């Protein structure tokens, strides 16, 4: 059953492979399985049929592995086939009836032996074992006398070995196999490989000797190629012989003799031209030109005859014989207009030659000579012809005229280019150059805008083959350079703006943005204040673009981290300086400070950068608060105060890190952060404000000035927090009292504010507790007034008046006792008045 299954599998694999259902490798794997199964069924003394089947299956499985490039897997099967061949031969001999029978069985076995040996040769050569392959092939040769029909097969096998080793540049091995192929191929004329194949083998053998080492194997190479040409004359053999002779340094006579051998042989025009080219490239000018002159006679009726003239022109130009080349070209031009036109593809090649020569002169700054060659090309176009190449030609000519300062002729050439190709960015660039040269700023700007649109359009076309994706940006870059060289800043700015929108290369982009910033800055400095808003907005746009591209630059390999840091430093410093420069415009100043902060985030967080970041955010918050105070609409105020709060939150985080880097005891940042945040929160009516202030009251280092400002802000519209105001003033008053020498002026102002907030004027119905609290303030004031002459008289007057008026209000309310107390308190202050005492007594 296993045996039947194995045979069925084998047959199924063959059928499916024939139907292209399974691949070569799958077929090899299926054969592998079938072959292994068959070997498991082998008994101690298998019958002849079983052995023959195993030989066949092992051979074909081994060959299948060789064909899919897995020669190492083939070896076991081929050895198995060889072993079974020996078994078969032994079995056949055992059952033979004499010498004739033995010869018959031997011939039968040798057919399989030949195949196995040839497959083994393939396998071991594929694995790099040259000597084993030679041994296998030699055994095949020994058998060949009895199997002459296999002559062609073995010759082709050796040829294939020669090709494989030649391609691997193993020339010595290749020459051996090719020699073997040729030798085997002529062993039996009846079954030989044929003369064409023999010549092919010999040509490859000659090529192998030639490429191996022509100086050492020259004789072998010549012998092989001469033999090839004797066996079967072929253009390839002729060409190779000429190559070998040239390489060996043969005389012109020897080369002419070789050429003469092929004079009557059928060869194509291209082959003749390639031969002439080969001769000329090797410096055999006399032989090459003579051969070239003989070619037209053989191809008089050929439409490709112009190729000969073209090759002649190329040779003359390569050998710096421009005058003779020009004569040939002028002959072609005359022929063009007298009915001897070149074929379109040949004419195109001529145009390429003419343009290359013109470009060479252009690079050498020989602009007049370049024009001469371009004019040759123009000669082949008809008047009013529309052609993109003609437009390019006219643009090239215009470039030459520009250099020669012949502007009128340049304009004519550009006009012609515009007629042929009006929507080309190159044509627009030529028009732009004329506008710049003529100082026509409006036209130059208009043309730059058109170039920018075309550059944008071309960058959107994925399959645009006619214009390189960098062409637009390169031309805009050149346009900016030309404008700057001609002192036309407005035009340069416009070109650089378009450039910055389309540049992909980060280094080029930042160079363009830097140039733009410098140009706009110089413009702003020269402008009057009322005219500079647009330019300031432009600067903001450029810096925002720089920030955007710095953020995107992390994905660009060529733009290193160090480059990014350098660019970020440059732009953040510019933004900082602009913020300082435009301090008279708060909104713009704020925007530049915010940008400077954002740009600094791409820099390493060292101390200097952290200080700059902190300052930027503090300044931005300060401006937002100032603008919020002046804002009329509630929504506008909310937006500005919220924005300020965001800046402050970020600034606090930076300040925490910065304080770890050194001693900032005298730095006012903590105070500013406290005051700014308090103002923002209070004016946003933040419900968490009271909780926030709890930590503030506990700060031991808080100053009286800070507390007084908090008190003032707490009552500044739209904020209204009288409780916080009182608390701040009380804390400030306590601090004043703790001073060794009380500053009477500061104390008096603080007390004045506290009394005003605690005892509003005009109220008759005041809570007793409040009155008691305020009474204590007056007592404090009286003690200070009594102890110093520095208490301001107007403040004493204020205290006296408020105490007296409070007494009057109490009297009006029928509270006579309280009225007497408060009026008496006022009278006590009267005694401390100076010049005003008499007026109030």
């Amino acid at each position: 059953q296993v045996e039947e299954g194995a045979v069925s599998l084998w047959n199924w694999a063959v059928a499916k492979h024939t139907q292209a259902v399974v691949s070569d490798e799958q077929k090899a794997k299926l054969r592998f399985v079938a072959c292994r199964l068959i070997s498991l069924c082998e008994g101690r003394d298998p019958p002849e049929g079983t052995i023959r089947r195993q030989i066949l299956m092992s051979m074909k499985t081994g060959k299948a592995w060789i064909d899919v490039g897995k020669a190492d897997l083939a070896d076991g099967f081929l050895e198995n086939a060889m072993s079974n061949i020996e078994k078969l031969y032994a079995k056949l001999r055992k059952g033979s009836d004499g010498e004739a029978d033995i010869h018959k069985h031997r011939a039968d076995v040798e057919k399989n032996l030949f195949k196995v040996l040839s497959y083994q040769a393939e396998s071991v050569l594929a694995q790099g074992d040259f000597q084993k392959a030679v041994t296998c092939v030699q055994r095949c040769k020994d058998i060949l006398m009895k199997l002459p029909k296999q002559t062609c097969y073995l010759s082709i096998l050796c040829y294939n070995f020669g090709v494989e080793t030649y391609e691997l540049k193993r020339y010595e091995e290749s020459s051996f196999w090719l020699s073997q192929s040729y030798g085997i191929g002529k062993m039996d004329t009846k079954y030989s490989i044929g003369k064409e194949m023999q010549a092919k083998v010999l040509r490859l053998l000659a090529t192998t000797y030639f490429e191996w080492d022509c100086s050492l194997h020259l004789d072998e190479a010549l012998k092989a190629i001469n033999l090839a040409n004797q066996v079967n004359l072929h253009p390839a053999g002729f060409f190779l012989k000429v190559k070998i002779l040239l390489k060996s340094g043969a005389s012109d006579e020897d080369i002419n003799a070789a050429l003469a051998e092929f004079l009557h042989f059928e060869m194509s025009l291209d082959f003749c031209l390639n031969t002439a080219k080969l001769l000329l490239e090797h410096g055999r000018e006399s032989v090459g030109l003579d051969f070239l002159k003989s070619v037209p006679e053989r191809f008089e009726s050929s439409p490709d005859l112009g190729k000969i003239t073209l090759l002649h022109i190329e040779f003359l130009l390569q050998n710096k014989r421009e005058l003779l080349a020009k004569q040939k070209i002028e002959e072609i031009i005359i022929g063009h207009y007298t009915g001897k036109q070149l074929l379109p593809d040949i004419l195109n090649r001529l145009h390429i030659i003419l343009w290359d020569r013109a470009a060479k002169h252009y690079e050498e700054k020989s602009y007049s000579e370049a024009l001469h060659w371009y004019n040759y090309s123009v000669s082949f176009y008809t008047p009013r012809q529309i052609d993109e190449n003609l437009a390019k030609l006219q643009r090239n000519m215009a470039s030459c005229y520009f250099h020669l300062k012949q502007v009128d002729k340049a304009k004519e050439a550009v006009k012609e280019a515009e007629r042929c190709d009006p929507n080309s960015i190159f044509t627009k660039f030529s028009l732009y150059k004329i506008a710049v040269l003529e100082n026509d700023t409006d036209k130059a700007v208009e043309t730059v805008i058109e170039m920018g649109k075309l550059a944008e359009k071309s960058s959107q076309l994925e399959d645009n083959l006619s214009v390189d994706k960098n062409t637009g940006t390169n031309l805009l870059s050149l346009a900016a350079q030309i404008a700057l060289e001609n002192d036309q800043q407005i035009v340069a700015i416009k070109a650089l703006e378009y450039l910055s929108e389309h540049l992909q290369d980060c280094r080029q982009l930042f160079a363009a943005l830097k140039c733009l910033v410098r140009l706009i800055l110089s413009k702003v400095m020269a402008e009057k204040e009322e005219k500079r808003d647009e330019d300031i907005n432009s600067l903001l746009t450029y810096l925002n673009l720089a920030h955007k591209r710095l953020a995107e630059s992390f994905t660009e390999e060529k733009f290193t981290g160090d480059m990014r840091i350098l660019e970020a430093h440059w732009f953040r410093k510019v933004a900082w300086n602009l913020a300082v420069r435009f301090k008279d415009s708060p909104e713009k100043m704020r925007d530049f400070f915010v940008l400077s902060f954002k740009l600094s985030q791409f820099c390493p967080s060292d101390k200097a950068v952290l200080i700059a970041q902190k300052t930027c955010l503090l300044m931005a918050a300060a401006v937002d608060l100032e603008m919020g105070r002046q804002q009329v609409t509630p929504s506008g105020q909310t937006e500005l105060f919220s924005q300020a709060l965001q800046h402050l939150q970020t600034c606090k985080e930076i300040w925490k890190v910065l304080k770890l880097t050194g001693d900032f005891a005298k730095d006012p940042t903590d105070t500013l952060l406290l005051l700014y945040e308090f103002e923002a929160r209070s004016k946003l009516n933040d419900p968490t404000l009271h909780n926030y202030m709890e930590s503030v009251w506990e700060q031991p280092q808080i100053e009286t000035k800070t507390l007084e400002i908090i008190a003032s802000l707490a009552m500044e519209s739209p904020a209204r927090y009288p409780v916080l105001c009182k608390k701040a003033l009380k804390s400030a008053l306590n601090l004043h009292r703790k001073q060794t020498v009380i500053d009477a002026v500061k104390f008096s102002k603080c007390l004045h504010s506290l009394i005003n907030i605690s005892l509003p004027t005009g109220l008759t119905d005041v809570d007793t507790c409040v009155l008691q609290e305020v009474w204590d303030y007056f007592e404090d004031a009286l003690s200070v007034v009594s102890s110093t002459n520095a208490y301001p008289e107007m403040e004493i007057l204020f205290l006296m008046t408020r105490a007296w008026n409070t007494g009057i209000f109490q009297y009006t309310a029928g509270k006579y006792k309280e009225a007497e107390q408060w009026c008496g308190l006022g009278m006590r202050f009267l005694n401390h008045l100076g010049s005003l005492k008499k007026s109030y007594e």
Side-chain angles (χ1 to χ4, degrees):
Q1 284 180 339
V2 172
E3 189 173 3
E4 284 175 9
V7 172
S8 296
L9 178 62
W10 181 277
N11 293 335
W12 183 87
V14 171
K16 292 299 178 184
H17 184 259
T18 305
Q19 296 166 14
V21 174
V22 297
S23 66
D24 289 344
E25 187 164 352
Q26 286 170 331
K27 182 186 77 170
K29 289 177 179 177
L30 289 166
R31 285 187 166 180
F32 170 90
V33 174
C35 202
R36 283 279 186 250
L37 288 170
I38 284 289
S39 65
L40 293 172
C41 301
E42 185 181 343
R44 296 183 96 186
D45 185 19
E48 181 185 330
T50 301
I51 297 172
R52 285 185 183 278
R53 187 168 57 199
Q54 285 186 345
I55 292 168
L56 178 70
M57 291 176 77
S58 295
M59 274 198 304
K60 292 203 169 186
T61 304
K63 179 61 173 166
W65 283 126
I66 292 167
D67 290 342
V68 296
K70 296 187 176 180
D72 54 318
L73 296 176
D75 290 345
F77 291 97
L78 296 174
E79 284 167 13
N80 189 46
M82 191 67 82
S83 171
N84 279 313
I85 287 169
E86 289 171 4
K87 279 183 190 177
L88 177 63
Y89 185 57
K91 195 171 192 67
L92 290 171
R93 276 184 67 111
K94 196 174 181 182
S96 60
D97 292 332
E99 196 67 30
D101 249 8
I102 291 171
H103 282 302
K104 181 184 172 185
H105 295 321
R106 185 181 293 162
D108 183 26
V109 167
E110 280 176 340
K111 287 179 186 177
N112 287 328
L113 181 60
F114 181 88
K115 277 190 181 179
V116 173
L117 286 168
S118 68
Y119 293 164
Q120 283 184 325
E122 280 190 74
S123 177
V124 294
L125 190 71
Q127 296 175 68
D129 194 334
F130 172 67
Q131 287 303 328
K132 260 191 184 179
V134 171
T135 303
C136 292
V137 169
Q138 189 57 51
R139 288 185 67 187
C140 286
K141 280 176 73 178
D142 294 341
I143 299 169
L144 204 57
M145 299 298 291
K146 298 167 187 174
L147 301 170
K149 288 183 181 179
Q150 298 298 325
T151 302
C152 185
Y153 168 79
L154 190 58
S155 178
I156 298 285
L157 183 69
C158 289
Y159 173 74
N160 290 337
F161 289 171
V163 171
E164 288 171 26
T165 48
Y166 168 78
E167 287 172 350
L168 294 169
K169 300 189 185 305
R170 302 209 299 252
Y171 297 120
E172 188 173 0
E173 292 178 25
S174 179
S175 63
F176 170 80
W177 291 121
L178 293 168
S179 298
Q180 287 292 311
S181 176
Y182 175 67
I184 293 166
K186 63 176 186 173
M187 280 173 68
D188 191 304
T189 52
K190 187 178 178 181
Y191 301 106
S192 71
I193 54 176
K195 289 189 174 183
E196 286 185 8
M197 188 63 199
Q198 283 182 353
K200 188 177 180 181
V201 172
L202 289 165
R203 284 196 297 274
L204 183 56
L205 179 59
T207 303
T208 302
Y209 283 130
F210 179 73
E211 292 185 15
W212 184 5
D213 190 332
C214 192
S215 58
L216 283 175
H217 303 284
L218 174 64
D219 290 340
E220 289 98 326
L222 277 171
K223 184 179 176 183
I225 198 60
N226 283 330
L227 191 55
N229 292 338
Q230 286 170 21
V231 171
N232 184 50
L233 202 58
H234 189 277
F238 162 63
F239 193 78
L240 182 55
K241 182 173 181 178
V242 173
K243 269 178 80 172
I244 294 168
L245 288 171
L246 288 168
K247 184 78 174 177
S248 67
S251 66
D252 286 356
E253 290 76 13
D254 290 341
I255 293 169
N256 274 322
L259 294 171
E261 292 174 18
F262 287 81
L263 281 177
H264 306 293
F265 188 77
E266 277 298 322
M267 289 186 286
S268 68
L269 175 59
D270 285 339
F271 185 82
C272 290
L273 290 175
N274 286 334
T275 304
K277 198 172 180 180
L278 179 69
L279 292 165
L280 294 171
E281 284 173 352
H282 281 79
R284 300 304 177 101
E285 184 180 329
S286 174
V287 180
L289 289 177
D290 286 344
F291 182 75
L292 198 60
K293 286 171 187 174
S294 71
V295 174
E297 299 169 13
R298 305 180 68 182
F299 300 96
E300 282 179 338
S301 59
S302 172
D304 290 336
L305 211 54
K307 289 182 180 179
I308 301 167
T309 312
L310 217 59
L311 180 60
H312 200 166
I313 290 167
E314 284 179 317
F315 169 73
L316 291 170
L317 290 173
Q318 284 167 9
N319 288 274
K320 299 180 181 178
R321 299 183 187 178
E322 279 201 359
L323 198 57
L324 287 172
K326 284 179 179 179
Q327 288 175 7
K328 286 281 181 188
I329 292 162
E330 285 160 12
E331 286 172 14
I332 293 173
I333 293 168
I334 293 165
H336 186 76
Y337 290 99
T338 55
K340 294 180 182 178
Q341 285 95 347
L342 298 174
L343 288 176
D345 61 322
I346 299 173
L347 182 57
N348 284 339
R349 281 180 56 200
L350 178 59
H351 278 303
I352 291 167
I353 292 168
L354 296 173
W355 286 29
D356 284 347
R357 183 56 44 169
K360 182 177 179 292
H361 284 296
Y362 185 90
E363 287 170 9
E364 293 169 354
K365 299 184 179 179
S366 302
Y367 305 115
S368 297
E369 193 60 31
L371 280 167
H372 199 85
W373 288 92
Y374 282 132
N375 276 317
Y376 280 147
S377 188
V378 171
S379 302
F380 292 99
Y381 289 95
T382 57
R384 309 304 296 169
Q385 184 177 345
I386 293 177
D387 187 285
E388 282 190 11
N389 284 329
L390 180 57
K392 185 177 180 181
L393 181 55
Q394 293 290 355
R395 290 194 297 265
N396 291 346
M397 292 177 75
S399 294
C400 294
Y401 287 129
F402 282 133
H403 285 291
L404 293 168
K405 308 297 181 189
Q406 297 175 13
V407 180
D408 289 338
K409 287 186 177 181
K411 284 171 76 174
E412 286 176 24
V414 173
K415 188 177 179 182
E416 187 64 17
E418 192 175 18
R419 182 185 66 79
C420 295
D421 194 5
N423 295 319
S424 165
I425 193 169
F426 297 104
T427 303
K428 299 296 180 190
F429 180 68
S430 298
L431 288 166
Y432 167 80
K433 285 200 283 188
I434 290 170
V436 171
L437 285 173
E438 293 182 336
N439 277 324
D440 189 344
T441 302
D442 292 339
K443 180 67 177 173
V445 170
E446 180 190 327
T447 315
V448 161
I449 292 169
E450 289 174 350
M451 285 172 65
K453 289 176 180 175
L454 286 168
E456 187 175 356
K457 190 176 178 183
S458 67
S459 67
Q460 291 169 354
L461 297 175
E462 292 181 7
D463 299 322
N464 186 16
L465 301 177
S466 59
V467 180
D468 183 82
K469 63 179 180 178
N470 295 321
T471 299
T473 52
N474 290 342
L475 287 176
L476 286 167
S477 182
L478 197 53
Q481 185 181 331
I482 290 168
L484 291 170
E485 287 170 356
N486 287 272
D487 203 23
Q488 295 193 21
Q489 289 192 3
I490 294 170
V491 182
I493 288 167
K494 186 57 69 178
L496 287 165
E497 282 178 344
Y498 270 104
L499 196 59
S500 63
E501 289 172 17
H502 298 105
L503 276 170
Q504 296 302 313
D505 184 284
C506 283
R507 285 175 292 186
Q508 291 179 0
L509 170 75
F510 292 125
L513 286 174
K514 284 179 180 179
C515 195
L516 271 171
V517 168
R518 292 186 182 106
L519 287 170
I520 294 289
L521 269 176
S522 63
K523 192 177 167 203
V524 168
M525 297 304 178
E527 281 177 335
K528 290 183 179 178
E529 200 167 318
E530 60 272 13
K531 290 184 178 179
R532 69 187 189 188
D533 276 357
E534 188 179 339
D535 290 327
I536 294 173
N537 288 333
S538 295
L539 288 167
L540 282 166
T541 302
Y542 305 152
L543 291 170
N544 271 310
L545 180 56
H547 176 262
K548 178 174 177 280
R549 289 305 298 271
L550 281 167
E552 294 169 354
S553 68
F554 287 91
T555 58
E556 189 170 322
E557 290 180 13
K558 293 180 182 177
F559 195 69
T560 63
D562 289 341
M563 290 177 185
R564 188 181 303 107
I565 290 165
L566 284 172
E567 298 296 354
H569 273 306
W570 193 90
F571 285 106
R572 82 169 177 85
K573 288 174 182 176
V574 166
W576 174 284
N577 292 332
L578 288 170
V580 175
R581 174 75 179 78
F582 300 123
K583 60 177 183 275
D584 296 333
S585 176
E587 188 176 355
K588 296 290 187 288
M589 179 173 75
R590 184 269 319 272
D591 291 343
F592 282 120
F593 271 128
V594 170
L595 265 172
S596 183
F597 164 71
K598 286 181 178 178
L599 289 161
S600 70
Q601 289 178 301
F602 298 107
C603 304
S605 297
D606 56 27
K607 189 174 181 180
V609 169
L610 288 170
I611 289 171
Q613 288 179 338
K614 177 208 71 168
T615 308
C616 284
L617 290 168
L618 275 176
M619 292 300 294
V623 173
D624 279 331
L625 291 171
E626 179 59 35
M627 288 169 65
R629 293 180 203 122
Q630 296 168 11
Q631 182 60 245
V632 178
T633 63
S635 61
Q637 282 186 327
T638 301
E639 183 183 346
L640 287 163
F641 292 140
S642 299
Q643 205 165 270
L645 199 55
Q646 285 176 7
H647 295 323
L648 292 166
Q649 295 301 336
T650 309
C651 188
K652 282 169 78 174
E653 295 303 315
I654 292 166
W655 180 233
K656 282 179 189 174
V657 177
L658 187 57
K659 283 197 284 189
L660 300 174
T661 65
D663 182 14
F664 291 91
K666 294 180 180 179
D667 194 295
T669 299
D670 280 319
T671 302
L672 290 171
L673 283 170
L674 168 61
L675 293 173
Y676 289 168
E677 187 170 356
F678 178 79
E679 181 175 0
R681 283 174 179 271
S682 63
K683 288 178 179 177
L684 285 169
N685 197 22
D686 185 349
T688 64
L689 182 62
H690 286 278
N691 292 336
Y692 167 72
M693 290 305 292
E694 286 305 315
S695 61
V696 175
W697 309 134
E698 295 168 7
Q699 290 179 14
Q701 73 278 16
I702 195 163
E703 296 178 355
T704 53
K705 177 80 173 171
T706 304
L707 291 165
E708 287 165 0
I709 293 170
I710 288 171
S712 173
L713 291 170
M715 298 303 291
E716 190 176 276
S717 181
R720 182 162 181 79
Y721 289 91
V723 173
L724 290 177
C725 178
K726 273 178 72 174
K727 195 159 188 177
L729 289 170
K730 281 182 184 179
S731 299
L733 207 62
N734 284 333
L735 289 174
H736 280 302
R737 286 198 200 97
K738 289 176 183 177
Q739 298 295 321
T740 309
V741 178
I742 295 175
D743 187 322
V745 175
K746 290 180 181 179
F747 180 87
S748 67
K749 286 179 182 178
C750 183
L751 188 65
H752 187 131
S753 299
L754 184 56
I755 290 169
N756 274 342
I757 192 72
S758 302
L759 187 67
T761 55
L763 291 178
T764 54
D765 187 19
V766 182
D767 189 88
T768 306
C769 293
V770 173
L771 282 174
Q772 183 57 52
E773 182 186 338
V774 176
W775 177 275
D776 293 340
Y777 300 152
F778 276 92
E779 288 286 0
D780 280 348
L782 195 61
S783 66
V784 174
V785 169
S786 303
S787 64
T788 180
N789 294 323
Y791 209 95
E793 189 176 13
M794 292 306 295
E795 290 298 326
I796 296 171
L797 179 61
F798 163 77
L799 292 166
M800 182 195 79
T801 306
R802 286 306 303 272
W804 180 268
N805 288 343
T806 301
I808 298 299
F809 286 132
Q810 295 298 308
Y811 178 81
T812 306
K815 297 178 180 180
Y816 304 118
K817 184 180 178 183
E818 288 85 354
E820 181 188 2
Q821 288 175 341
W822 279 100
C823 286
L825 181 61
M827 295 293 288
R828 288 162 69 188
F829 282 103
L830 178 65
N831 294 326
H832 294 283
L833 284 174
S835 59
L836 295 173
K837 184 176 180 182
K838 289 185 179 181
S839 302
Y840 285 92
E841 272 183 328

